[in-house]
Amino acid sequence: MVAGAQSGRQTAAPGTDTGAGAAIAPAIELVGISKAFGPVQANRDISMRVMPGTIHGIIGENGAGKSTLMSILYGFYRADAGEVRIGGRPVAIPDSQAAIRAGIGMVFQHFKLVPNFTVLENVVLGAEEGALLRPSLAKARASLRDLAQEYELDVDPDAVVEDLSVGHQQRVEILKALYRQADILILDEPTGVLTPSEADHLFRILRGLKAQGKTVILITHKLREIMEITDTVSVMRRGEMTATVETAGSSPEELAELMVGRKVLLHVPKAPATPGATVLKVEDLRVTDADGVERLKGIDLEIRAGEILGIAGVAGNGQSELLKVLGGFEKATGRVTLNGHPLDLSGDRLAQSRRAAGIAHVPEDRHHLGLILDFAAWENVAFGYHHAPEYQANALLMDNAALIRDTAGKMERFDVRPPIPTLAAKSFSGGNQQKIVLAREIERNPDLLLVGQPTRGVDIGAIEFIHKRIVELRDAGKAVLLVSVELDEILSLSDRIAVMFDGRIMGERLPDRTDERELGLLMAGVAE
Amino acid sequence: MQRLPVWADVVLVPILSLLAAFLISALVILGIGGNPVEALQVMVTGALGSAYGWGYTLYYATNFMFTGLAVAVAFRASLFNIGGEGQAMLGGLGVALVCLAVDWPHWALALPAAMLGGAVFGAAWAAIPAWLQAKRGSHIVITTIMFNFIAASVLVYLLVNVLRPPGSMDPATARFPEGAGLPTLHDIPGLGGIFDRNTPANITLFLALACVGLVWLLLFRSRLGYEIRAFGKSEPAAVYAGISPVRITMIAMLISGGLSGLMAVNNVMGEAERLVLNSVEGAGFIGIAVALMGRNHPVGVMFAALLFGFLYQGGAELGLWTTIPLELRTVVQALVILFTGALDTMMRMGVERVFALFARRAA
């Protein structure tokens, strides 16, 4: 175990040296943590101190090493070197049980809940006492009641988890941690799935926890959240902790620069739109899913050439269905025309004909739809366009060499790193994966580009690039339908904003005549 | 986890798995009072030590190449075709019907017709489970297993009641006409001096090798293969790309069944020269192990088929020349399947750890 050697290099942690706090041991302290996966140094000599009763943010691009660090803290990985101290004492965390015993609770981005169990059963799961369930459940019920009062964490203990909203499910995760007597709560990208009002509620809960002396570590890539709620923030880049600063004394621009290592434009500059003829016209579009639930309840919208229409809304309010219908793999009723020609809505195997009609689609879920992760980059560049004449050697065989050449060109133009066409898609970072998808779709020069969550899981540097390319396509006179759950993205890219809630368009706004509050209300289904 | 270099992934790991399987086999032989060294000697000389042995090893390997390729093609579409056994049985029926229908003047005319018969019958037998999977969502594993049983019953019925020559007590078809007999390796100019007249290995071996090449072209060079592999990796993504799941499921299973059916050219037309009960002798199931070990790559399937051909022939010799029972062949095969298939990940993780250790030392 390493400890003393690097003590001279520890980054200063403001807030820890101030005032009379010198005598108080940090709630959690990392000293010289390093972790390598083969040749990749995921964490290099990380040192960090978080004082009790504070909210500490960890921000960094994807692949900066945040998740690795948290996995070490929670016992999923073992550090190659370094030490974890809780309350001033070194602790070994070989597994998650040890982490729980040390008072660490973790709320993962993807919840670890049993969907068909009740809240109570989920809370007790793994913390049962004895062979009989009843005493454990009774005890949990009592303690949930206390926690609910104390922290605004009201959830019906007998509700089945799959019936709860995402925000409530997250509260169950927090309850689970608190029930296990966590003093340090780590939240990994907690607001990714929440509405603005749910996020506000979460932040109220976190402030409540802080007031009770709990320590909160918030991992996020959203600068706004860091600024809003944290006391101190650590910035990670390429496995190293580049800075730890007091939030109040910093700015989003400074943090973004620390994350990326260069100046970043947080908002892509764009000229006012000059919309042309109507490209896409949607009238009374309705989708009913396999369970008979109506997912789209009569959508009307219109996009013109040279215009970006942003669809705001909480995930699961019909945006995915809208994209699928337009992309040709979901049945619908109603009327949709592209450049005046009606689209066939009767089938769900029409993706090829949509491409032929001039619709390109960057899907919301690039891992499950947009890419085949095990395929090489060049194979993914052909994906959906594998019938294109330029990729064929003859009637039966594909021209792999031509495809690889084409991919190399796309990678260069879209700054995909590393620019190796034969590398498997899964070996690229999220941002570079998205650039591959974007290159494939944009370079087809479509009349209409459908883009879902273009920057989900994408680092700040790549976001800037992706936004620029989308705006460029608009400036080239193409129509863009942008679906995103990130309000920032919607506000900065869209020429018009339509808000979806429960399968309906709640209203349309112009980005410079609205704000997050108004959009947030529409997203929650509150009509004007 | 760090990824292994290609050579370690495709060569080292299977070899280590094999060694582990052989080691356990040796312990089993010791346990039943045999001598593992002697057993190995008997197996190697029996399968590889003579032209006679090679004749059988290559004959079995030919069978396994067809069934292994069949499993591999379906598996690339993420369809686990366990029905190779039944499809090969029906392929045998197709081959037999073709061979018996005409008094063939020359094998060169009979062969293409028999290939067509075998492939069409095998594909047709795979088509029903494929359609049930594609259209109705009935799981292909279940339906193909069921179809193995149905195929066996159909064959019993046909051989006993329909195809058996009058007066024969044997549930088998009549002998195929002389002109439908395929040349064995002995009949091939240049090899005549090596293999003797009765060697079962025949020119179907070259047909199998050609299929290895064709399947490789199909999977890795053709648009259809691209669609098969894409569909196999992710059905929702395939739909997004405009690939029809129904179409790919049907086509992949038809090709798979056709390859299984082609096996009958080797065992029914090339060796038995009539259709008997249980002509497939489990080759359909061994094809699963062959595809697993060959990692669903045609070239890997070819090598794995040779290995299983060796095990099959060597194991038979074991039963013949030693006190070790023939059943041990099944034990050895099971262990090879266990280690190269089911426990592959275990071995891989161990090797990955060793490589990571070396990488760290080097760093």
Side-chain angles (χ1 to χ4, degrees), chain A residues 368-387:
Chain A
H368 292 112
L369 291 185
L371 292 167
I372 302 277
L373 290 175
D374 287 332
F375 273 15
W378 67 267
E379 287 174 299
N380 275 299
V381 160
F383 200 51
Y385 300 98
H386 49 282
H387 292 286

PDB file of all heavy atoms in Angstrom, chain A residues 368-387:
ATOM      1  N   HIS A 368     -28.058   0.118 -28.533  1.00  0.00           N
ATOM      2  CA  HIS A 368     -28.958  -0.969 -28.907  1.00  0.00           C
ATOM      3  C   HIS A 368     -29.556  -0.820 -30.293  1.00  0.00           C
ATOM      4  O   HIS A 368     -30.042  -1.777 -30.860  1.00  0.00           O
ATOM      5  CB  HIS A 368     -30.070  -1.104 -27.866  1.00  0.00           C
ATOM      6  CG  HIS A 368     -29.560  -1.577 -26.544  1.00  0.00           C
ATOM      7  ND1 HIS A 368     -29.542  -0.792 -25.423  1.00  0.00           N
ATOM      8  CD2 HIS A 368     -28.983  -2.738 -26.192  1.00  0.00           C
ATOM      9  CE1 HIS A 368     -29.003  -1.463 -24.424  1.00  0.00           C
ATOM     10  NE2 HIS A 368     -28.650  -2.640 -24.868  1.00  0.00           N
ATOM     11  N   LEU A 369     -29.537   0.379 -30.821  1.00  0.00           N
ATOM     12  CA  LEU A 369     -30.110   0.566 -32.148  1.00  0.00           C
ATOM     13  C   LEU A 369     -29.088   1.065 -33.155  1.00  0.00           C
ATOM     14  O   LEU A 369     -28.953   0.529 -34.243  1.00  0.00           O
ATOM     15  CB  LEU A 369     -31.278   1.570 -32.086  1.00  0.00           C
ATOM     16  CG  LEU A 369     -32.539   1.140 -31.368  1.00  0.00           C
ATOM     17  CD1 LEU A 369     -33.600   2.213 -31.527  1.00  0.00           C
ATOM     18  CD2 LEU A 369     -33.055  -0.174 -31.906  1.00  0.00           C
ATOM     19  N   GLY A 370     -28.376   2.093 -32.785  1.00  0.00           N
ATOM     20  CA  GLY A 370     -27.560   2.794 -33.767  1.00  0.00           C
ATOM     21  C   GLY A 370     -26.309   2.061 -34.186  1.00  0.00           C
ATOM     22  O   GLY A 370     -25.783   2.283 -35.269  1.00  0.00           O
ATOM     23  N   LEU A 371     -25.815   1.211 -33.312  1.00  0.00           N
ATOM     24  CA  LEU A 371     -24.549   0.533 -33.588  1.00  0.00           C
ATOM     25  C   LEU A 371     -24.680  -0.944 -33.252  1.00  0.00           C
ATOM     26  O   LEU A 371     -25.476  -1.332 -32.412  1.00  0.00           O
ATOM     27  CB  LEU A 371     -23.429   1.116 -32.716  1.00  0.00           C
ATOM     28  CG  LEU A 371     -22.974   2.546 -32.968  1.00  0.00           C
ATOM     29  CD1 LEU A 371     -22.104   3.008 -31.821  1.00  0.00           C
ATOM     30  CD2 LEU A 371     -22.208   2.643 -34.280  1.00  0.00           C
ATOM     31  N   ILE A 372     -23.856  -1.750 -33.923  1.00  0.00           N
ATOM     32  CA  ILE A 372     -23.622  -3.108 -33.447  1.00  0.00           C
ATOM     33  C   ILE A 372     -22.264  -3.037 -32.778  1.00  0.00           C
ATOM     34  O   ILE A 372     -21.240  -2.884 -33.437  1.00  0.00           O
ATOM     35  CB  ILE A 372     -23.599  -4.106 -34.619  1.00  0.00           C
ATOM     36  CG1 ILE A 372     -24.913  -4.057 -35.391  1.00  0.00           C
ATOM     37  CG2 ILE A 372     -23.279  -5.495 -34.124  1.00  0.00           C
ATOM     38  CD1 ILE A 372     -26.026  -4.864 -34.816  1.00  0.00           C
ATOM     39  N   LEU A 373     -22.255  -3.110 -31.461  1.00  0.00           N
ATOM     40  CA  LEU A 373     -21.024  -2.806 -30.724  1.00  0.00           C
ATOM     41  C   LEU A 373     -19.885  -3.764 -31.058  1.00  0.00           C
ATOM     42  O   LEU A 373     -18.722  -3.382 -31.013  1.00  0.00           O
ATOM     43  CB  LEU A 373     -21.298  -2.818 -29.221  1.00  0.00           C
ATOM     44  CG  LEU A 373     -22.158  -1.651 -28.733  1.00  0.00           C
ATOM     45  CD1 LEU A 373     -22.467  -1.807 -27.260  1.00  0.00           C
ATOM     46  CD2 LEU A 373     -21.472  -0.325 -28.986  1.00  0.00           C
ATOM     47  N   ASP A 374     -20.229  -5.010 -31.387  1.00  0.00           N
ATOM     48  CA  ASP A 374     -19.172  -5.975 -31.706  1.00  0.00           C
ATOM     49  C   ASP A 374     -18.650  -5.816 -33.133  1.00  0.00           C
ATOM     50  O   ASP A 374     -17.641  -6.412 -33.487  1.00  0.00           O
ATOM     51  CB  ASP A 374     -19.694  -7.414 -31.529  1.00  0.00           C
ATOM     52  CG  ASP A 374     -19.850  -7.763 -30.068  1.00  0.00           C
ATOM     53  OD1 ASP A 374     -19.107  -7.196 -29.246  1.00  0.00           O
ATOM     54  OD2 ASP A 374     -20.710  -8.596 -29.740  1.00  0.00           O
ATOM     55  N   PHE A 375     -19.342  -5.067 -33.941  1.00  0.00           N
ATOM     56  CA  PHE A 375     -18.900  -4.860 -35.320  1.00  0.00           C
ATOM     57  C   PHE A 375     -17.789  -3.804 -35.339  1.00  0.00           C
ATOM     58  O   PHE A 375     -17.761  -2.897 -34.507  1.00  0.00           O
ATOM     59  CB  PHE A 375     -20.057  -4.362 -36.191  1.00  0.00           C
ATOM     60  CG  PHE A 375     -20.897  -5.461 -36.791  1.00  0.00           C
ATOM     61  CD1 PHE A 375     -20.827  -6.754 -36.321  1.00  0.00           C
ATOM     62  CD2 PHE A 375     -21.756  -5.189 -37.848  1.00  0.00           C
ATOM     63  CE1 PHE A 375     -21.612  -7.764 -36.877  1.00  0.00           C
ATOM     64  CE2 PHE A 375     -22.539  -6.180 -38.412  1.00  0.00           C
ATOM     65  CZ  PHE A 375     -22.472  -7.462 -37.931  1.00  0.00           C
ATOM     66  N   ALA A 376     -16.933  -3.920 -36.355  1.00  0.00           N
ATOM     67  CA  ALA A 376     -15.899  -2.901 -36.540  1.00  0.00           C
ATOM     68  C   ALA A 376     -16.559  -1.590 -36.965  1.00  0.00           C
ATOM     69  O   ALA A 376     -17.707  -1.576 -37.420  1.00  0.00           O
ATOM     70  CB  ALA A 376     -14.910  -3.360 -37.596  1.00  0.00           C
ATOM     71  N   ALA A 377     -15.815  -0.505 -36.826  1.00  0.00           N
ATOM     72  CA  ALA A 377     -16.349   0.797 -37.210  1.00  0.00           C
ATOM     73  C   ALA A 377     -16.823   0.784 -38.661  1.00  0.00           C
ATOM     74  O   ALA A 377     -17.901   1.291 -38.973  1.00  0.00           O
ATOM     75  CB  ALA A 377     -15.287   1.875 -37.008  1.00  0.00           C
ATOM     76  N   TRP A 378     -16.047   0.168 -39.549  1.00  0.00           N
ATOM     77  CA  TRP A 378     -16.450   0.195 -40.977  1.00  0.00           C
ATOM     78  C   TRP A 378     -17.725  -0.583 -41.204  1.00  0.00           C
ATOM     79  O   TRP A 378     -18.538  -0.218 -42.060  1.00  0.00           O
ATOM     80  CB  TRP A 378     -15.315  -0.294 -41.882  1.00  0.00           C
ATOM     81  CG  TRP A 378     -14.938  -1.746 -41.756  1.00  0.00           C
ATOM     82  CD1 TRP A 378     -13.956  -2.260 -40.952  1.00  0.00           C
ATOM     83  CD2 TRP A 378     -15.506  -2.861 -42.452  1.00  0.00           C
ATOM     84  NE1 TRP A 378     -13.890  -3.611 -41.092  1.00  0.00           N
ATOM     85  CE2 TRP A 378     -14.815  -4.020 -42.013  1.00  0.00           C
ATOM     86  CE3 TRP A 378     -16.512  -3.005 -43.396  1.00  0.00           C
ATOM     87  CZ2 TRP A 378     -15.121  -5.299 -42.482  1.00  0.00           C
ATOM     88  CZ3 TRP A 378     -16.809  -4.276 -43.866  1.00  0.00           C
ATOM     89  CH2 TRP A 378     -16.116  -5.410 -43.420  1.00  0.00           C
ATOM     90  N   GLU A 379     -17.930  -1.661 -40.442  1.00  0.00           N
ATOM     91  CA  GLU A 379     -19.171  -2.400 -40.604  1.00  0.00           C
ATOM     92  C   GLU A 379     -20.351  -1.568 -40.107  1.00  0.00           C
ATOM     93  O   GLU A 379     -21.460  -1.661 -40.627  1.00  0.00           O
ATOM     94  CB  GLU A 379     -19.105  -3.726 -39.840  1.00  0.00           C
ATOM     95  CG  GLU A 379     -18.194  -4.747 -40.495  1.00  0.00           C
ATOM     96  CD  GLU A 379     -18.022  -6.011 -39.661  1.00  0.00           C
ATOM     97  OE1 GLU A 379     -17.529  -5.903 -38.522  1.00  0.00           O
ATOM     98  OE2 GLU A 379     -18.372  -7.086 -40.145  1.00  0.00           O
ATOM     99  N   ASN A 380     -20.101  -0.750 -39.098  1.00  0.00           N
ATOM    100  CA  ASN A 380     -21.163   0.110 -38.598  1.00  0.00           C
ATOM    101  C   ASN A 380     -21.467   1.261 -39.543  1.00  0.00           C
ATOM    102  O   ASN A 380     -22.577   1.768 -39.563  1.00  0.00           O
ATOM    103  CB  ASN A 380     -20.788   0.647 -37.210  1.00  0.00           C
ATOM    104  CG  ASN A 380     -21.159  -0.334 -36.125  1.00  0.00           C
ATOM    105  OD1 ASN A 380     -22.329  -0.658 -35.959  1.00  0.00           O
ATOM    106  ND2 ASN A 380     -20.170  -0.842 -35.411  1.00  0.00           N
ATOM    107  N   VAL A 381     -20.472   1.676 -40.301  1.00  0.00           N
ATOM    108  CA  VAL A 381     -20.716   2.757 -41.255  1.00  0.00           C
ATOM    109  C   VAL A 381     -21.654   2.285 -42.361  1.00  0.00           C
ATOM    110  O   VAL A 381     -22.397   3.065 -42.949  1.00  0.00           O
ATOM    111  CB  VAL A 381     -19.368   3.279 -41.804  1.00  0.00           C
ATOM    112  CG1 VAL A 381     -19.560   4.018 -43.110  1.00  0.00           C
ATOM    113  CG2 VAL A 381     -18.723   4.199 -40.783  1.00  0.00           C
ATOM    114  N   ALA A 382     -21.653   0.972 -42.625  1.00  0.00           N
ATOM    115  CA  ALA A 382     -22.568   0.444 -43.639  1.00  0.00           C
ATOM    116  C   ALA A 382     -23.954   0.178 -43.062  1.00  0.00           C
ATOM    117  O   ALA A 382     -24.887  -0.090 -43.806  1.00  0.00           O
ATOM    118  CB  ALA A 382     -22.007  -0.860 -44.213  1.00  0.00           C
ATOM    119  N   PHE A 383     -24.079   0.254 -41.740  1.00  0.00           N
ATOM    120  CA  PHE A 383     -25.295  -0.216 -41.086  1.00  0.00           C
ATOM    121  C   PHE A 383     -26.509   0.585 -41.532  1.00  0.00           C
ATOM    122  O   PHE A 383     -26.587   1.805 -41.341  1.00  0.00           O
ATOM    123  CB  PHE A 383     -25.116  -0.119 -39.573  1.00  0.00           C
ATOM    124  CG  PHE A 383     -26.070  -0.976 -38.815  1.00  0.00           C
ATOM    125  CD1 PHE A 383     -26.217  -2.319 -39.123  1.00  0.00           C
ATOM    126  CD2 PHE A 383     -26.825  -0.456 -37.787  1.00  0.00           C
ATOM    127  CE1 PHE A 383     -27.095  -3.113 -38.422  1.00  0.00           C
ATOM    128  CE2 PHE A 383     -27.699  -1.249 -37.072  1.00  0.00           C
ATOM    129  CZ  PHE A 383     -27.830  -2.571 -37.392  1.00  0.00           C
ATOM    130  N   GLY A 384     -27.467  -0.106 -42.111  1.00  0.00           N
ATOM    131  CA  GLY A 384     -28.657   0.560 -42.636  1.00  0.00           C
ATOM    132  C   GLY A 384     -28.468   0.995 -44.076  1.00  0.00           C
ATOM    133  O   GLY A 384     -29.426   1.210 -44.792  1.00  0.00           O
ATOM    134  N   TYR A 385     -27.200   1.159 -44.485  1.00  0.00           N
ATOM    135  CA  TYR A 385     -26.911   1.556 -45.867  1.00  0.00           C
ATOM    136  C   TYR A 385     -26.126   0.461 -46.569  1.00  0.00           C
ATOM    137  O   TYR A 385     -25.403   0.718 -47.517  1.00  0.00           O
ATOM    138  CB  TYR A 385     -26.135   2.872 -45.880  1.00  0.00           C
ATOM    139  CG  TYR A 385     -26.920   3.987 -45.232  1.00  0.00           C
ATOM    140  CD1 TYR A 385     -26.685   4.348 -43.903  1.00  0.00           C
ATOM    141  CD2 TYR A 385     -27.933   4.640 -45.928  1.00  0.00           C
ATOM    142  CE1 TYR A 385     -27.431   5.345 -43.293  1.00  0.00           C
ATOM    143  CE2 TYR A 385     -28.679   5.641 -45.326  1.00  0.00           C
ATOM    144  CZ  TYR A 385     -28.427   5.979 -44.006  1.00  0.00           C
ATOM    145  OH  TYR A 385     -29.175   6.957 -43.411  1.00  0.00           O
ATOM    146  N   HIS A 386     -26.266  -0.768 -46.067  1.00  0.00           N
ATOM    147  CA  HIS A 386     -25.481  -1.859 -46.634  1.00  0.00           C
ATOM    148  C   HIS A 386     -25.963  -2.239 -48.027  1.00  0.00           C
ATOM    149  O   HIS A 386     -25.340  -3.044 -48.681  1.00  0.00           O
ATOM    150  CB  HIS A 386     -25.498  -3.064 -45.690  1.00  0.00           C
ATOM    151  CG  HIS A 386     -26.858  -3.449 -45.213  1.00  0.00           C
ATOM    152  ND1 HIS A 386     -27.518  -2.761 -44.218  1.00  0.00           N
ATOM    153  CD2 HIS A 386     -27.700  -4.418 -45.601  1.00  0.00           C
ATOM    154  CE1 HIS A 386     -28.702  -3.295 -44.018  1.00  0.00           C
ATOM    155  NE2 HIS A 386     -28.838  -4.313 -44.844  1.00  0.00           N
ATOM    156  N   HIS A 387     -27.087  -1.657 -48.462  1.00  0.00           N
ATOM    157  CA  HIS A 387     -27.518  -1.889 -49.845  1.00  0.00           C
ATOM    158  C   HIS A 387     -26.972  -0.820 -50.783  1.00  0.00           C
ATOM    159  O   HIS A 387     -27.192  -0.900 -51.983  1.00  0.00           O
ATOM    160  CB  HIS A 387     -29.052  -1.895 -49.929  1.00  0.00           C
ATOM    161  CG  HIS A 387     -29.685  -3.069 -49.243  1.00  0.00           C
ATOM    162  ND1 HIS A 387     -29.648  -4.340 -49.770  1.00  0.00           N
ATOM    163  CD2 HIS A 387     -30.333  -3.164 -48.051  1.00  0.00           C
ATOM    164  CE1 HIS A 387     -30.274  -5.169 -48.939  1.00  0.00           C
ATOM    165  NE2 HIS A 387     -30.684  -4.473 -47.890  1.00  0.00           N
TER     166      HIS A 387
END
